Amino acid sequence: MTFRERRTVASFISTLLIFGIYFYFLLRRYQGETLQLSEELRFWAMATLIFIGIMVVFKIISYIIFTILHAIATREYEKIDTDELEKLIELKATRNAYVVFLAGFILSLVTLILGMPVMVMFSSLIGAFTLAAMSADISQLYFYRKGV
């Protein structure tokens, strides 16, 4: 397994870990409260923004930690230069992530049309964001292995 493949697997695992921990704490906090609709919208909007911020920061930290651990384990420093193939793989993975996120976004809007609680809409939106990030990692791993 190459450095880039290992980095992609580490990214996938960190995404799964972040989502699991954050969603667990979010649901525990939400279950204890009874909120009016405007307060509930504010709560979920703030929770979604916090989730995005946590996800970005944790991803950066996990990349740094992975690079350090890889350098220690292999005693090699991998330059993160991207060639044309790498750029193409990233573009295709990003395209797949957008498709997954768009499907999740539409699904979250459908939950509102069906009269489901706001919690379901925002939960599906956070889930769509996470699935999009995971699909980007899976797509990259697939294209690294298969080639483009």
Side-chain angles (χ1 to χ4, degrees), residues 19-80:
F19 177 72
I21 292 171
Y22 185 78
F23 207 66
Y24 172 75
F25 284 112
L26 186 66
L27 286 182
R28 283 190 63 195
R29 178 174 161 81
Y30 180 76
Q31 287 176 347
E33 297 184 25
T34 53
L35 303 171
Q36 298 292 327
L37 181 59
S38 63
E39 294 173 349
E40 189 174 6
L41 284 172
R42 186 171 176 225
F43 172 81
W44 281 102
M46 191 173 354
T48 304
L49 287 175
I50 290 171
F51 175 73
I52 291 170
I54 288 173
M55 183 79 115
V56 169
V57 169
F58 196 79
K59 283 280 194 177
I60 292 169
I61 291 171
S62 69
Y63 279 138
I64 292 169
I65 290 173
F66 174 77
T67 303
I68 291 170
L69 291 178
H70 183 267
I72 290 171
T74 62
R75 305 224 181 257
E76 294 176 9
Y77 176 72
E78 292 282 338
K79 290 184 178 179
I80 305 179

Side-chain angles (χ1 to χ4, degrees), residues 93-114:
T94 303
R95 176 200 60 197
N96 294 345
Y98 279 128
V99 168
V100 170
F101 182 74
L102 181 65
F105 181 75
I106 290 171
L107 179 69
S108 68
L109 292 179
V110 168
T111 62
L112 283 181
I113 292 171
L114 295 176

